[in-house]
Amino acid sequence: MPALKPGAKAPDFSLTAMHGKKFSLHEGLTRGPVVLAFFKVSCPICQYAFPLYERLYQAYKNQGVTLLGVSQNERADTESFCRKFGVTFPILLEDTSTFPVSNAYGLASVPTLFWISPEGTIEIASVGWDRKDYEKAGRQMAGAAKVPASVLIPPGESVADFRAG
C-alpha cells in the first residue's frame, strides 16, 4: 500500500510535462480533481494498466478532471512507452536522480494511482492494477464531468481484477 492513504492531504508539487509545459498540483486542483498515475516504463503491470488508463482519458478528457501520468524515467524512454502503449494523456517527468514527488507520495511500487479532490485530499490510493479502484475512478470521473459513466471494459473482455505492482 502507498504511504499516503485516502483521507491524507496530497503533497503539492510542480513538474514539467514531456513536452515542456509546467504543471503544479495546486494550480491543477483549481480546475477540478486530479488523477495521478505513477509508472516506470519497464514495469509489466504499468504496461498492462496504462492502455486501460488511456480509456479513462478518452472517455472523460477535458471534462472537469485532469488525468496525468508521472514517469519515473527519462523523456526518451517515456516517449517510447507512450507510443508503444497508445498513451496520449499528459505525462509529467519525475526527477530521476531523487524522485521527490514519488517519495513525497510514499511510493513503494508502481503503478500507483491517486485520485485527489479539489480540496487536495486523496480519495483513491491504488497500488498495482485494481479493477475495482479503476472502475471507481471511472465513476468519479463521470460524476465530475456530469455525464453518464462510459463502458470502459466491455462485457466479455478479459481484464484481471488485480495484479500486484
Side-chain angles (χ1 to χ4, degrees):
M1 292 298 294
L4 297 182
K5 295 184 177 18
K9 185 78 171 162
D12 194 20
F13 66 87
S14 181
L15 290 175
T16 302
M18 253 190 340
H19 301 295
K21 188 175 179 184
K22 286 273 191 194
F23 174 86
S24 80
L25 180 62
H26 175 75
E27 183 181 314
L29 291 173
T30 65
R31 295 185 295 273
V34 172
V35 179
L36 300 175
F38 289 81
F39 72 104
K40 192 154 189 70
V41 301
S42 60
C43 165
I45 306 309
C46 299
Q47 295 166 7
Y48 183 85
F50 267 66
L52 293 161
Y53 295 158
E54 177 67 19
R55 293 180 188 182
L56 289 172
Y57 179 68
Q58 291 302 321
Y60 305 110
K61 66 182 171 185
N62 303 320
Q63 294 188 64
V65 178
T66 302
L67 171 64
L68 301 160
V70 181
S71 176
Q72 296 179 336
N73 294 92
E74 299 296 330
R75 179 185 316 270
D77 293 333
T78 301
E79 287 173 342
S80 177
F81 175 92
C82 289
R83 276 191 306 277
K84 183 174 182 179
F85 295 101
V87 176
T88 65
F89 56 87
I91 303 293
L92 305 175
L93 298 169
E94 174 82 278
D95 176 345
T96 58
S97 64
T98 60
F99 301 99
V101 180
S102 294
N103 288 330
Y105 280 74
L107 265 64
S109 64
V110 289
T112 299
L113 183 82
F114 292 99
W115 174 286
I116 304 168
S117 74
E119 297 76 34
T121 303
I122 294 172
E123 293 183 358
I124 297 173
S126 183
V127 177
W129 165 257
D130 187 314
R131 184 173 175 158
K132 282 190 320 190
D133 289 341
Y134 172 80
E135 290 172 342
K136 180 179 179 181
R139 288 189 302 274
Q140 286 188 209
M141 288 178 94
K146 297 179 174 64
V147 298
S150 294
V151 175
L152 299 167
I153 302 172
E157 182 177 0
S158 179
V159 174
D161 288 336
F162 180 78
R163 286 186 159 182

